[in-house]
Amino acid sequence: LAPSLVKLVGVEPRAQTRSRVLSVLEELDTLRLQVLALLLQEKLSLAETAQVLGMPEKQVREECVRALEQIRGVVLGTEDRP
């Protein structure tokens, strides 16, 4: 999952970046992590992911975007973290 996400958020796959991505993945809520896993790891479509999770496709898309924004913010240092 992590290498796909690193590629998707548009950053170099350096050790420090990989560590940040893995760290933020641990902080994602369960739904966002499931959405990313189904889309990126299992290579399901939005429609298939929505069906598996029992939610509208629009919500799957929104959760994916929010998760990727969260990851991008941490990797690029633009998101505040506790």
Side-chain angles (χ1 to χ4, degrees), residues 29-63:
D29 66 43
T30 302
L31 177 60
R32 289 184 182 166
L33 191 56
Q34 287 174 331
V35 166
L36 291 179
L38 291 170
L39 291 171
L40 301 175
Q41 199 169 35
E42 300 299 324
K43 302 195 185 306
L44 298 183
S45 68
L46 286 171
E48 291 167 328
T49 300
Q51 184 176 17
V52 167
L53 296 174
M55 64 177 48
E57 192 173 323
K58 180 180 178 182
Q59 186 180 356
V60 170
R61 186 179 306 112
E62 290 169 355
E63 293 298 335

Side-chain angles (χ1 to χ4, degrees), residues 8 10 13 15-16 23 32 34 43 60 67 78-79:
L8 195 58
Q16 185 177 20
S23 174
R32 289 184 182 166
Q34 287 174 331
K43 302 195 185 306
V60 170
T78 59
E79 181 178 290

Side-chain angles (χ1 to χ4, degrees), residues 2 4 12-14 19 22 28 33-34 36 38 41 43 45 61-62 64 68-70 73 78 80:
S4 299
E12 301 261 340
R14 298 183 194 140
S19 175
L22 292 175
L28 286 177
L33 191 56
Q34 287 174 331
L36 291 179
L38 291 170
Q41 199 169 35
K43 302 195 185 306
S45 68
R61 186 179 306 112
E62 290 169 355
C64 180
L68 292 175
E69 286 172 348
Q70 186 176 348
T78 59
D80 293 331

Side-chain angles (χ1 to χ4, degrees), residues 1-14 17-18 21:
L1 184 63
S4 299
L5 291 175
V6 169
K7 218 181 264 188
L8 195 58
V9 295
V11 295
E12 301 261 340
R14 298 183 194 140
T17 300
R18 173 168 274 154
V21 169

